[in-house]
């Protein structure tokens, strides 16, 4: 039995509230159980210097955890003067995941920045950030299309992410903190709406796993992402 009482292939309660903030071109509050992430999408015409004049845009992500999003207060990284390696890794993952489903030429010379701020953490903050970031980006791009700022939709398909792991010998979907902190192995899967894999990060924490274990985790990730895709479509009306 999982600590939460969920079945091995059951997601936590998933909600996506679109348009959660007033000023950003796109936004949502995404919740996986007790993990909650506020995601905003900002569209700017200023590009990184190495991209200027090349006729294409850029999609990038930024990630942060509020000081009391966890059981004990964490110091703000801004106060320390630098980001942790974990934060930088997650930001790069968010950017890669979103760029994997965007035609940057159709986006034109503009940058979309996805800010993912963890309000409350209970495991799976990076996967929740990616899943919510697609919704915020979709809303922002729809606004550009409505305004006639871009002619063709640059988003090719959906992208979502979910964690899977082996907990007490059983492959399980969408680990919360209680499972993540004591799992034999855990991983994060980033999948697209057309059935492709963007990234799989899997590691053995307490015990090694075999090929069958890997395949079972992959199947669980597909089940979970299919549910997330449906929630994304409902949130964006697509």
């Amino acid at each position: 039995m999982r600590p939460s009482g969920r079945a091995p292939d059951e997601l936590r309660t998933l909600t996506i509230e679109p348009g959660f903030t007033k000023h950003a071109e796109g936004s949502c509050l995404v919740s996986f159980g007790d993990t909650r992430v506020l995601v905003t999408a900002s569209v700017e015409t200023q590009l990184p210097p190495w991209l200027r004049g090349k006729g294409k845009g850029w999609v990038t992500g930024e990630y942060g955890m509020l000081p009391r999003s966890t059981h004990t207060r964490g110091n703000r990284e801004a106060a320390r003067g630098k980001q942790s390696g974990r934060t930088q890794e997650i930001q790069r993952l968010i950017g890669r995941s979103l760029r994997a489903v965007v035609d940057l030429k159709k986006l034109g010379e503009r940058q979309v920045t996805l800010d993912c701020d963890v309000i409350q953490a209970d495991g799976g903050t990076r996967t929740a950030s990616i899943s919510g970031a697609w919704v915020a980006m979709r809303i922002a791009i729809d606004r550009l299309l409505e305004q006639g700022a871009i002619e063709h939709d640059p988003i090719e398909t959906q992208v979502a992410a979910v964690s899977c792991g082996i907990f007490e010998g059983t492959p399980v979907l969408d680990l919360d903190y209680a499972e993540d902190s004591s799992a034999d192995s855990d991983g994060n899967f980033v999948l697209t709406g057309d059935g492709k894999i963007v990234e799989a990060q899997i590691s053995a924490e307490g015990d090694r796993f075999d090929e069958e274990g890997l395949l079972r985790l992959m199947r669980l990730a597909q089940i979970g992402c299919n549910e997330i895709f449906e929630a994304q479509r409902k949130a964006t009306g697509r």
Side-chain angles (χ1 to χ4, degrees), residues 47-170:
L47 284 171
W50 52 273
L51 261 181
R52 292 173 191 164
K54 295 188 177 179
K56 63 180 182 179
W58 192 244
V59 178
T60 188
E62 295 197 8
Y63 169 94
M65 298 181 68
L66 294 186
R68 203 54 207 270
S69 60
T70 54
H71 296 92
T72 57
R73 185 184 187 277
N75 293 327
R76 295 182 188 272
E77 292 185 335
R80 296 201 301 265
K82 66 175 183 178
Q83 293 179 319
S84 68
R86 175 182 179 273
T87 295
Q88 294 180 55
E89 174 206 351
I90 293 174
Q91 289 184 163
R92 289 193 292 267
L93 175 62
I94 294 168
R96 287 196 305 271
S97 300
L98 274 294
R99 288 193 298 273
V101 296
V102 174
D103 185 325
L104 297 177
K105 289 186 178 179
K106 290 181 180 178
L107 182 60
E109 294 196 1
R110 53 180 57 84
Q111 176 169 290
V112 180
T113 302
L114 287 313
D115 286 294
C116 305
D117 292 292
V118 179
I119 297 174
Q120 185 168 276
D122 187 38
T125 60
R126 73 187 67 192
T127 54
S129 295
I130 292 167
S131 300
W134 185 88
V135 171
M137 182 177 70
R138 177 71 273 173
I139 294 170
I141 294 298
D142 282 344
R143 181 175 294 187
L144 292 177
L145 288 165
E146 290 169 4
Q147 295 171 345
I150 55 177
E151 185 176 353
H152 302 289
D153 188 354
I155 300 179
E156 298 173 331
T157 186
Q158 292 170 256
V159 67
V162 72
S163 64
C164 299
I166 299 176
F167 177 73
E168 295 185 353
T170 301

Side-chain angles (χ1 to χ4, degrees), residues 1-13 122 167-168 170 172-176 178-179:
M1 178 67 70
R2 304 177 69 174
S4 62
R6 288 180 288 144
D9 61 351
E10 185 179 352
L11 284 176
R12 290 174 286 179
T13 300
D122 187 38
F167 177 73
E168 295 185 353
T170 301
V172 294
L173 173 66
D174 189 22
L175 283 69
D176 56 24
E179 294 171 326

Side-chain angles (χ1 to χ4, degrees), residues 212-225:
E212 178 57 28
L214 173 60
L215 293 174
R216 291 177 70 181
L217 293 179
M218 187 70 234
R219 287 193 288 270
L220 285 173
Q222 291 170 335
I223 291 171
C225 283

